[in-house]
């Protein structure tokens, strides 16, 4: 989400949200709902602004505290703070306390590495240093950063620029950035902000990226959490685990099966808070993006924090949430935001043309309407 909280406040908000979701899930599970392993829904917001976590030392401190409190009994669940939200890993097999501590340490190290590359909150991160450098010469970036950026550029091209990771200055102009304001930008302010944005202002080489304008900046927050989920999945696979569930801020990747041999069940949270349905997932990733919770009122008009990069204007259509499944969480994360930006008709066309499992949530006069592709319906548990 776009509001700039302190690290502590943002983590507190996330923790409260997760507790609410856990409570709702537990209530549903005790009644007629599925036995849900994780949650997907607009609890995880796919905005294009950064929500990175605290410093590496904070992450390390949290890990140390967690390790000290580890019990001697086997456990298959691990979790902690990351990227302004929380991460969790569920393994189908039980592991001993020593293995748990070692695995948790490796996970946190990987998250710290990602943070040092793409965080826009850390002024020393690779991406922050690139953003602050006015040079128009090609700049070398880590393969991980370039891989994320290449995915973002592909999605930008396929949406004719509606999705754009250089849109940060425009988001700032609308008051959803670091300097919060409830006043819409003037025409001249918006024009100035738009001047240095656009995915075509970047040129990607094999190991470099080059700006067209000194003021151009990159924000990979709309797919960085998804990429981090994929990186943790790769870490687990390299460690010999084949069945697990990885989640960061509501972006989820399922591999293999649960310990009972059944698919992992990921709950679908609807706008009214209902989580009575779940997706049965094996070797799939799911991500969501929503705009109906994050907005502000300006002169009686609701202003969304999701910006259409083609116009520089907040989206105003009736599509308010998207949930999508892809082979990787990075793709799911990026496309959840992209489909939300383009609106109902275009999102539906893209989803059906590609045979994607997608749920669109529309705001109506009477509440909300859910629209699902056939591929999505087939994954709903019990369907």
């Amino acid at each position: 989400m776009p509001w700039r909280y302190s690290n502590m406040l943002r983590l507190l908000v996330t923790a409260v949200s997760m507790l609410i979701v856990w409570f709702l899930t537990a209530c549903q599970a005790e009644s007629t709902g599925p036995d849900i392993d994780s949650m997907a829904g607009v609890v995880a917001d796919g905005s294009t602004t950064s929500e990175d976590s605290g410093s590496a030392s904070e992450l390390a401190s949290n890990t140390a505290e967690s390790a000290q409190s580890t019990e001697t009994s086997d456990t298959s669940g691990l979790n902690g703070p990351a990227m302004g939200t929380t991460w969790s890993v569920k393994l189908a097999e039980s592991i001993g306390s020593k293995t748990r501590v070692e695995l948790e340490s490796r996970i946190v190290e990987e998250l710290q590495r990602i943070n040092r590359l793409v965080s826009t909150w850390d002024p020393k991160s690779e991406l922050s240093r690139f953003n602050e450098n006015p040079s128009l010469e090609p700049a070398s970036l880590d393969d991980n950063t370039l891989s994320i950026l290449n995915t973002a550029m592909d999605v930008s091209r396929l949406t004719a620029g509606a999705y754009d990771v250089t849109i940060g200055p425009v988001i700032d102009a609308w008051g959803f950035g670091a300097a919060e304001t409830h006043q819409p930008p003037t025409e001249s302010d918006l024009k100035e902000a738009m001047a240095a944005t656009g995915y075509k202002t970047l040129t990607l080489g094999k190991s470099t990226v080059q700006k067209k304008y000194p003021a151009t900046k990159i924000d990979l927050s709309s797919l960085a959490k998804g990429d981090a989920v994929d990186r943790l999945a790769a870490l687990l696979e390299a460690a010999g685990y084949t069945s697990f569930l990885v989640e960061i801020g509501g972006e989820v990747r399922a591999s293999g099966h649960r310990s009972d041999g059944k698919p992992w069940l990921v709950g679908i949270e609807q706008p009214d808070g209902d989580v009575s349905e779940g997706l049965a997932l094996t070797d799939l990733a799911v991500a969501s993006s929503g705009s109906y919770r994050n907005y502000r009122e300006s002169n009686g008009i609701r202003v969304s924090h999701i910006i259409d990069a083609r116009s520089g204007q907040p989206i105003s259509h009736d599509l308010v949430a998207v949930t999508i499944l892809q082979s990787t969480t990075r793709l799911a994360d990026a496309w959840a935001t992209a489909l939300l930006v383009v609106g109902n008709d275009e999102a539906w066309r893209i989803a059906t043309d590609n045979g994607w499992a997608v749920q669109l949530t529309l705001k109506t006069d009477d509440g909300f309407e859910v629209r699902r592709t056939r591929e999505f319906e087939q994954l709903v548990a019990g369907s």
Side-chain angles (χ1 to χ4, degrees), residues 329-349:
T329 326
R330 181 204 292 179
L331 277 173
D333 205 3
W335 275 110
T337 301
L339 294 183
L340 182 62
V341 172
V342 299
N344 176 35
D345 292 340
E346 184 66 6
W348 186 258
R349 183 195 66 77

Side-chain angles (χ1 to χ4, degrees), residues 139-308:
S140 296
L141 294 180
D142 186 88
D143 288 345
N144 192 164
T145 307
L146 284 169
S147 180
I148 302 173
L149 188 53
N150 268 299
T151 296
M153 296 288 276
D154 287 342
V155 177
S156 291
R157 282 189 287 267
L158 291 169
T159 58
Y163 172 88
D164 184 3
V165 293
T166 71
I167 197 64
V170 178
I171 292 174
D172 290 341
W174 279 98
F176 290 111
E180 297 180 17
T181 175
H182 289 262
Q183 295 300 318
T186 64
E187 185 176 343
S188 61
D189 287 342
L190 188 58
K191 184 177 180 180
E192 181 181 353
M194 290 284 287
T197 65
Y199 74 98
K200 292 182 180 179
T201 64
L202 299 173
T203 301
L204 271 62
K206 185 177 181 180
S207 59
T208 63
V209 62
Q210 185 176 11
K211 301 179 182 181
K212 186 176 181 179
Y213 304 109
T216 298
K217 297 183 179 183
I218 300 172
D219 190 330
L220 299 176
S221 303
S222 59
L223 69 168
K225 282 194 282 288
D227 178 76
V229 170
D230 292 336
R231 299 288 170 178
L232 295 190
L235 183 154
L236 292 171
E237 290 170 352
Y241 299 100
T242 58
S243 293
F244 52 79
L245 195 72
V246 181
E247 179 265 342
I248 298 179
E251 323 297 19
V252 181
R253 180 162 172 168
S255 180
H257 298 80
R258 304 192 308 186
S259 58
D260 59 7
K262 296 179 181 180
W264 296 98
L265 289 183
V266 177
I268 314 166
E269 189 195 16
Q270 303 301 340
D272 60 2
D274 177 57
V275 288
S276 59
E277 289 185 302
L279 296 169
L281 304 184
T282 299
D283 300 327
L284 280 173
V286 59
S288 299
S289 183
S291 65
Y292 63 83
R293 285 184 178 172
N294 293 316
Y295 63 89
R296 68 160 185 265
E297 298 284 344
S298 179
N299 298 322
I301 299 175
R302 178 177 292 194
V303 180
S304 171
H305 72 292
I306 299 291
I307 307 294
D308 187 330

Side-chain angles (χ1 to χ4, degrees), residues 81-93:
M83 307 179 85
T85 179
T86 58
W87 65 267
S88 68
V89 168
K90 278 191 174 183
L91 302 174
E93 61 188 88

Side-chain angles (χ1 to χ4, degrees), residues 321-382:
V322 174
T323 296
I324 180 172
L325 292 99
Q326 294 278 290
S327 58
T328 69
T329 326
R330 181 204 292 179
L331 277 173
D333 205 3
W335 275 110
T337 301
L339 294 183
L340 182 62
V341 172
V342 299
N344 176 35
D345 292 340
E346 184 66 6
W348 186 258
R349 183 195 66 77
I350 293 173
T352 53
D353 283 355
N354 287 282
W356 289 344
V358 171
Q359 173 182 282
L360 306 179
T361 302
L362 311 176
K363 182 73 174 68
T364 67
D365 293 339
D366 300 323
F368 297 95
E369 174 188 335
V370 172
R371 192 180 188 189
R372 293 171 172 172
T373 63
R374 180 184 63 223
E375 292 80 4
F376 191 97
E377 288 283 6
Q378 291 171 347
L379 292 170
V380 176

